[in-house]
Amino acid sequence: MSISVKGIILAGGSGSRLWPLSRQQLPKQFLKLSGAASMLSATIGRLSPLVAKDDVWVVTGESHATGEAFSELEGLNQIMEPCGRNTAPAIAVAAALMQDLSGDDPIMVVLPADHIVADKDAFQACLNKAVEVAQGDRLVTFGIVPTQPETGFGYIQAEASGQGDIQNVLRFVEKPDLENAQRMLDDGNYYWNSGMFVWKASVILEEVEKYIPEMTALLNGMRARWNGGELWQEVVRDSFDKMPDVSIDYGIMEKSQRVSLVPADIGWSDVGSWDAVHEIAEHDVNGNDISGNVLAIDCHNTLLRSERSLIAAIGIEDIIAVETPDAILLCRAGESQRVREIVDSLKLGKERYHLEHVTVRRPWGSYTVLEGRADGYQIKRLEVLPGARLSMQAHQHRSEHWVVVAGTATVTCGELVKTVAKNESAYISIGETHRLENRGKIPLHLIEVQVGDYLGEDDIERFEDIYGRT
């Protein structure tokens, strides 16, 4: 009898420790940090051939699915969360859906979307072992074989003896200080907690009912609704915020008596900081990781990354410098875990450096802020892809003036539909219903001048949208 295996990819995180490249609206799981593929795409790829792409489901924030990450998520099975509620509710909802949509009891391979695994063959070998063990009603986790006394990870203690490569889990350990990390490394029966799991949908739901019964009560109500004919995504949108905010580790794994561990030596990194990015990167002869528009002379052990501006560095050592068009990060190597402190400080201010980039991707293309919200106006450059169109919308606080600089625009203003060619313009008054389309075969480029007393992106009332953002 064939085994049904589903991939569940958790892609709802914010990735704040990789600021300024990672932003709240486009976190690290959607970025290309290592190679040509995004971290999400690479995670899905390493499940093949055991799990086909059609059997992979991505759990992500609704704002990601309809915002900057749209192109990375397009065409994938998605479970959209209307708000963040940690990993236990996400996994429980996914398990229930996998049962109800498939009509059987599939094995779930639960992976974070933002990890790097260098040795795919070793990962596949561990995955096959984990699936075999999970058939015996066990909760299986991948324990990463530690290489150093790391204080940034949680640990898992396993029994000294196990059945072959499979070990029973004794306990989960919080992130230790350096002394305890060294002790656990010397012990040899401790592993880094990878956050990767394999189990039957029924088994994890049994443990949820046992240890988080209030979640089961809510989930049963949701299942009754979607099995009764309501659209399951609408049920999730309506009910998910009532779920308790709890991680799968704290809510289930630390309490369950059914946990097994597969030791995994797979070239793993959670890429949780710029130091981690530097560690896994290819280095030049001086230990530098250099990418983008960088000129480095007599530098050693540096990470220098430029998105646009030239970084010119002379004689520096043990420095991390990351440039994006609107922000620059500078810190000493070994200090990049503290980037989260910068993001926390930015959240207290009025600027949007933690939220989005100067260039913001949208399902229809992108816009780039050329001049910020100063003195009641804002200037943007818009790129609309061939065949794409923005939503039918209106603004209550701003007017817009569009000047076409390349391509041809189709502009709807109220009942009027007109063609606007290169070097021509269209004016949208406050409150007027309008839409912008590119019916051509080449990208459409415009300069947009907004004028008004409020210029926030939330001043958009959508009436119809082909990307589901109404």
Side-chain angles (χ1 to χ4, degrees):
M1 182 179 65
S2 62
I3 305 168
S4 174
V5 183
K6 306 290 185 181
I8 308 297
I9 312 299
L10 304 179
S14 62
S16 61
R17 287 176 293 176
L18 290 186
W19 183 91
L21 191 60
S22 176
R23 307 287 174 104
Q24 185 171 311
Q25 293 187 10
L26 192 68
K28 68 173 182 176
Q29 58 266 31
F30 304 113
L31 302 177
K32 298 180 174 90
L33 286 177
S34 177
S38 70
M39 301 186 78
L40 171 63
S41 180
T43 301
I44 294 171
R46 76 176 64 104
L47 285 171
S48 177
L50 180 64
V51 185
K53 187 176 180 180
D54 289 345
D55 288 323
V56 176
W57 290 74
V58 180
V59 185
T60 191
E62 193 166 345
S63 61
H64 294 329
T66 58
E68 284 203 68
F70 176 86
S71 60
E72 287 294 329
L73 292 163
E74 189 176 17
L76 300 175
N77 299 317
Q78 299 173 41
I79 302 172
M80 293 186 286
E81 302 172 315
C83 59
R85 279 295 179 269
N86 220 313
T87 52
I91 289 169
V93 168
L97 277 171
M98 293 307 98
Q99 284 188 329
D100 293 344
L101 293 177
S102 66
D104 60 13
D105 185 21
I107 289 177
M108 300 167 58
V109 179
V110 181
L111 303 177
D114 57 356
H115 292 178
I116 285 177
V117 172
D119 192 338
K120 181 180 177 180
D121 290 340
F123 170 81
Q124 289 275 327
C126 291
L127 182 58
N128 285 315
K129 292 176 187 175
V131 168
E132 181 180 353
V133 176
Q135 294 178 62
D137 294 347
R138 301 289 292 178
L139 305 179
V140 187
T141 186
F142 287 20
I144 304 300
V145 178
T147 57
Q148 60 193 30
E150 176 62 57
T151 61
F153 302 145
Y155 284 69
I156 304 173
Q157 183 185 13
E159 286 185 347
S161 60
Q163 296 180 352
D165 293 326
I166 310 302
Q167 301 180 14
N168 292 327
V169 169
L170 297 178
R171 65 184 181 117
F172 285 72
V173 182
E174 295 295 327
K175 295 177 182 179
D177 57 25
L178 184 59
E179 181 181 353
N180 281 312
Q182 184 63 59
R183 178 184 58 80
M184 288 187 285
L185 184 67
D186 294 339
D187 182 278
N189 294 313
Y190 288 84
Y191 300 84
W192 292 338
N193 184 0
S194 69
M196 296 188 284
F197 310 104
V198 180
W199 45 51
K200 287 182 182 176
S202 60
V203 173
I204 191 61
L205 289 174
E206 288 172 7
E207 297 299 90
V208 169
E209 183 173 17
K210 182 176 181 179
Y211 297 109
I212 321 176
E214 65 275 22
M215 186 181 295
T216 296
L218 289 166
L219 188 59
N220 286 342
M222 294 168 66
R223 298 180 80 167
R225 290 176 60 186
W226 70 55
N227 287 325
E230 295 186 54
L231 297 175
W232 64 262
Q233 184 63 73
E234 292 301 320
V235 174
V236 172
R237 179 178 290 119
D238 179 59
S239 303
F240 195 76
D241 65 337
K242 302 176 182 64
M243 286 283 189
D245 188 337
V246 60
S247 72
I248 197 69
D249 280 345
Y250 179 78
I252 303 296
M253 303 302 287
E254 294 180 8
K255 301 169 183 175
S256 177
Q257 303 301 307
R258 306 165 75 169
V259 183
S260 297
L261 178 144
V262 175
D265 187 1
I266 54 178
W268 173 88
S269 173
D270 74 338
V271 205
S273 68
W274 284 112
D275 283 298
V277 173
H278 188 205
E279 183 179 339
I280 65 173
E282 293 185 7
H283 299 154
D284 65 18
V285 294
N286 293 318
N288 300 307
D289 171 17
I290 294 175
S291 61
N293 192 12
V294 176
L295 176 59
I297 300 174
D298 195 25
C299 297
H300 298 81
N301 192 34
T302 63
L303 184 153
L304 304 175
R305 180 169 187 146
S306 170
E307 295 290 298
R308 185 172 68 181
S309 298
L310 171 66
I311 295 178
I314 301 174
I316 62 173
E317 186 172 353
D318 298 326
I319 293 294
I320 292 171
V322 181
E323 179 272 347
T324 63
D326 64 337
I328 299 173
L329 168 70
L330 290 173
C331 69
R332 290 188 180 277
E335 292 286 325
S336 66
Q337 288 281 356
R338 299 184 62 190
V339 170
R340 181 176 287 174
E341 298 175 30
I342 292 177
V343 176
D344 290 341
S345 296
L346 291 173
K347 289 178 180 178
L348 301 176
K350 295 182 180 180
E351 299 294 340
R352 301 174 65 84
Y353 294 112
H354 65 292
L355 287 176
E356 61 189 15
H357 292 275
V358 168
T359 296
V360 178
R361 295 177 356 196
R362 286 289 183 256
W364 44 263
S366 66
Y367 68 80
T368 300
V369 178
L370 302 178
E371 183 71 30
R373 301 168 188 169
D375 300 323
Y377 73 91
Q378 181 169 232
I379 303 174
K380 295 180 177 179
R381 181 176 66 246
L382 276 61
E383 179 181 3
V384 184
L385 300 173
R389 61 179 179 173
L390 282 67
S391 60
M392 184 72 77
Q393 59 185 253
H395 312 294
Q396 300 306 314
H397 299 278
R398 71 174 187 253
S399 63
E400 294 178 340
H401 191 177
W402 294 333
V403 179
V404 176
V405 296
T408 302
T410 301
V411 178
T412 300
C413 295
E415 298 297 322
L416 176 65
V417 180
K418 60 182 179 179
T419 299
V420 183
K422 180 180 178 180
N423 207 30
E424 296 179 344
S425 65
Y427 175 73
I428 312 297
S429 60
I430 293 177
E432 186 170 27
T433 302
H434 62 281
R435 162 176 276 156
L436 175 64
E437 300 179 64
N438 180 5
R439 297 180 180 177
K441 296 182 179 181
I442 63 172
L444 166 65
H445 293 268
L446 307 93
I447 300 299
E448 176 183 87
V449 179
Q450 302 175 351
V451 179
D453 56 12
Y454 180 74
L455 303 171
E457 284 299 305
D458 52 349
D459 180 25
I460 300 177
E461 182 180 6
R462 291 189 173 94
F463 303 102
E464 189 274 328
D465 183 59
I466 61 174
Y467 308 108
R469 297 174 298 165
T470 54

